[in-house]
């Protein structure tokens, strides 16, 4: 994490071509996970690869990033996965505006892609430190996500390692 790997699509393809040429994976079927913010489309060289996309679009109401949602790129990534080999992971807070924006994004993606996309949406409570992730806040966000038909993904490293940098 901490960068956008799809800025380096040529390098990703080269690395995996080399690994397969060396037979590093043997006869095993291996899934490769690419974490992306969903702002860059993949080219057709990615179509026949066993990639799983963990897509983390940035909601403006949470990050104040005005260009965090690129619908054309999200549509490209989702539609490139014939086997629905992706998840959408949104970081959310308790703010009603954030939840309203999430619902708008999901609704638009359902129109652009293939219907019920809620099964692929994970909600991660906002907060990088244990102080920012109070039990009450996490519970409220998790319960709301479940009520709305979303899955929940917790920041386990915050609970396990607390605020230790480099853990």
């Amino acid at each position: 994490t901490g960068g956008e790997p799809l800025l380096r699509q040529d390098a990703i393809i080269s690395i995996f071509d080399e690994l397969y040429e060396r037979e590093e994976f043997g006869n095993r079927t291996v899934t490769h996970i690419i974490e992306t913010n969903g702002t860059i489309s993949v080219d057709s060289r990615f179509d026949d690869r066993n990639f799983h996309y963990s897509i983390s679009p940035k909601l403006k109401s949470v990050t104040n990033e005005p260009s965090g949602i690129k619908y054309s790129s999200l549509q490209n990534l989702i539609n490139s996965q014939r086997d629905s080999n992706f998840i959408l992971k949104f970081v959310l807070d308790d703010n009603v505006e954030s939840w309203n924006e999430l619902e708008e994004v999901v609704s638009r993606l359902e129109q652009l892609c293939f219907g019920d996309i809620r099964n692929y949406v994970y909600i991660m409570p906002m907060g990088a430190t244990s102080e920012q992730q109070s039990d009450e806040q996490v519970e409220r966000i998790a319960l709301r996500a479940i009520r709305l038909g979303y899955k929940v993904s917790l920041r386990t490293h915050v609970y396990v390692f607390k605020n230790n940098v480099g853990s």
Side-chain angles (χ1 to χ4, degrees):
T1 62
E4 177 49 61
L6 293 181
L7 288 170
R8 306 283 186 256
Q9 292 185 43
D10 290 337
I12 292 170
I13 294 297
S14 294
I15 289 167
F16 285 100
D17 283 349
E18 179 72 20
L19 290 171
Y20 279 101
E21 189 175 303
R22 291 183 187 184
E23 298 181 358
E24 293 290 328
F25 304 118
N27 295 347
R28 298 173 295 163
T29 300
V30 179
T31 300
H32 312 288
I33 299 172
I34 295 179
E35 173 93 18
T36 176
N37 62 22
T39 59
I40 299 173
S41 297
V42 291
D43 67 42
S44 60
R45 296 175 298 167
F46 283 71
D47 289 351
D48 296 327
R49 310 269 178 162
N50 201 16
F51 288 123
H52 174 91
Y53 295 108
S54 176
I55 309 167
S56 299
K58 309 299 184 243
L59 298 174
K60 182 181 181 195
S61 57
V62 175
T63 65
N64 292 318
E65 292 180 31
S67 59
I69 305 292
K70 300 273 191 208
Y71 286 103
S72 60
S73 299
L74 290 169
Q75 183 179 13
N76 164 267
L77 286 164
I78 292 168
N79 288 341
S80 74
Q81 295 303 303
R82 291 178 292 279
D83 298 326
S84 304
N85 208 5
F86 71 94
I87 64 167
L88 290 159
K89 183 176 59 178
F90 293 91
V91 174
L92 260 82
D93 55 22
D94 258 345
N95 187 336
V96 171
E97 184 179 295
S98 302
W99 289 93
N100 290 341
E101 183 182 1
L102 172 71
E103 289 292 308
E104 290 172 21
V105 169
V106 169
S107 177
R108 178 119 185 249
L109 287 174
E110 288 178 336
Q111 293 170 4
L112 292 171
C113 298
F114 57 80
D116 187 13
I117 215 139
R118 286 178 191 272
N119 291 329
Y120 305 96
V121 174
Y122 286 76
I123 303 304
M124 181 177 283
M126 189 168 145
T129 66
S130 53
E131 292 82 15
Q132 294 169 333
Q133 290 220 341
S134 71
D135 291 343
E136 296 81 20
Q137 177 194 7
V138 170
E139 181 180 356
R140 281 192 308 273
I141 292 170
L143 289 174
R144 186 170 194 171
I146 292 166
R147 237 185 352 264
L148 292 171
Y150 300 120
K151 295 174 176 59
V152 177
S153 176
L154 299 179
R155 294 179 160 225
T156 307
H157 63 285
V158 172
Y159 296 103
V160 174
F161 299 109
K162 304 298 180 217
N163 302 337
N164 297 325
V165 176
S167 299

